[in-house]
Amino acid sequence: MATLDTDTAWKLILNASNRSNVTLPLPGTSQPALRINGKSWELVHQATEDAKNLISLFLPLCQPIKRPAGNHVIGQLGQSLDGRIATVTGCSRFINGDDGITHLHRIRALCDAVVVGAGTAATDNPRLTVRRANGPNPTRVVIDRHGRVPPSHHLFTDNAAPTLHLVAGEYDPAQKPARIGQVTTIPCLGAADNPSPVPPEHILQVLQDYGLRKIFIEGGGVTVSSFLKAGLLDRLHVMVAPMIIGSGRPAFSLPEIDQLDDALRPRAQLVNLGSDMLFDLAFERRWN
């Protein structure tokens, strides 16, 4: 019996998306390979350690959302050993290695939407598509209240996937937004001169109105931290690269605490991705 490798494990994961209480066969055969019962799972086929790790990391992202108004939100940060996500000038390509980037693309493939803040979109000019793994492209979402992202950037020009451009303005879910090609511009972030941050709960409501319920908050640090501070992350993947920058932008921006009893202590598993170490943090906010 052939040992299940990471490529086959990823095929099983894609087949498990939004399914529960099923037994999945080894791809291309009728031989049982993976049993899923609610939130628990059992691998019934010999597998490599890397394949087991892959299934353990990604099956929690596959579970169906049962509540009509529910959602599932995963955040991600890639940082150096000293907790930096960029240099003082904003340079962040690439802190994480090839294995970390592949991991990032796999998360995208399992989510309905991938969200970035304007700073990350403007500085990195990302594509936010799935290129290093099999799987569908998510809807791309950029939070851009002040119109900081140049219109020439990939998100607005490559037509590789639908893009929601969230901009300043009052939100009216009944109003049909402007759409050019694959880009839909949605006024929903309040007045441009409002100094208060946009509530993350509001972002999730807008996305739900567009049928997007599995949400990946990819960056940057301020955006991910705002969802974490609001208690809206179900899961957080922190990839740590063997690199010391010594200065620059911190990964997390959270309120100060006086006592360690007030620190966040999510359930965690540590996985060696190869080029990076991954902390898979489970907050289990409101899965269903």
Side-chain angles (χ1 to χ4, degrees), residues 37-250:
N37 183 14
K39 295 183 181 181
S40 64
W41 59 273
E42 178 188 6
L43 192 60
V44 291
H45 193 283
Q46 185 177 350
T48 67
E49 194 65 29
D50 287 342
K52 292 177 183 177
N53 285 338
L54 200 68
I55 291 171
S56 177
L57 282 173
F58 287 105
L59 272 190
L61 309 187
C62 293
Q63 295 177 23
I65 298 171
K66 296 179 180 179
R67 291 195 302 112
N71 55 36
H72 184 76
V73 186
I74 176 173
Q76 180 276 154
L77 286 172
Q79 66 173 51
S80 61
L81 284 170
D82 54 340
R84 307 292 179 173
I85 60 171
T87 66
V88 291
T89 60
C91 180
S92 61
R93 291 199 168 189
F94 287 106
I95 288 177
N96 296 105
D98 280 350
D99 298 314
I101 296 171
T102 298
H103 180 82
L104 194 65
H105 285 224
R106 284 172 171 155
I107 300 176
R108 292 174 186 170
L110 294 176
C111 293
D112 299 329
V114 54
V115 179
V116 294
T120 295
T123 301
D124 293 348
N125 190 14
R127 298 180 185 274
L128 303 184
T129 52
V130 180
R131 304 183 303 280
R132 287 176 170 255
N134 291 325
N137 289 326
T139 294
R140 307 176 295 188
V141 181
V142 57
I143 305 170
D144 191 20
R145 178 192 263 175
H146 301 107
R148 296 168 56 190
V149 185
S152 59
H153 273 25
H154 296 309
L155 294 174
F156 304 137
T157 60
D158 65 10
N159 288 316
T163 297
L164 301 185
H165 188 197
L166 309 187
V167 299
E170 294 305 314
Y171 181 54
D172 181 358
Q175 182 178 0
K176 186 175 181 180
R179 178 175 178 177
I180 300 177
Q182 292 268 61
V183 181
T184 301
T185 301
I186 305 173
C188 62
L189 302 182
D193 58 356
N194 185 346
S196 300
V198 179
E201 298 92 338
H202 179 61
I203 301 295
L204 294 182
Q205 183 58 61
V206 172
L207 298 185
Q208 182 161 308
D209 288 345
Y210 282 80
L212 306 171
R213 301 175 67 195
K214 287 190 175 182
I215 311 300
F216 177 26
I217 312 299
E218 184 168 321
V222 172
T223 301
V224 174
S225 294
S226 70
F227 279 82
L228 181 59
K229 177 183 175 182
L232 294 175
L233 292 184
D234 296 280
R235 226 165 180 95
L236 176 63
H237 284 190
V238 180
M239 293 186 290
V240 181
M243 174 191 301
I244 299 173
I245 299 176
S247 62
R249 300 179 183 177

Side-chain angles (χ1 to χ4, degrees), residues 4 12 23-27 31-35 42-45:
L4 191 150
L12 283 172
T23 297
L24 299 177
L26 199 66
Q31 182 178 353
L34 179 65
R35 293 194 183 101
E42 178 188 6
L43 192 60
V44 291
H45 193 283

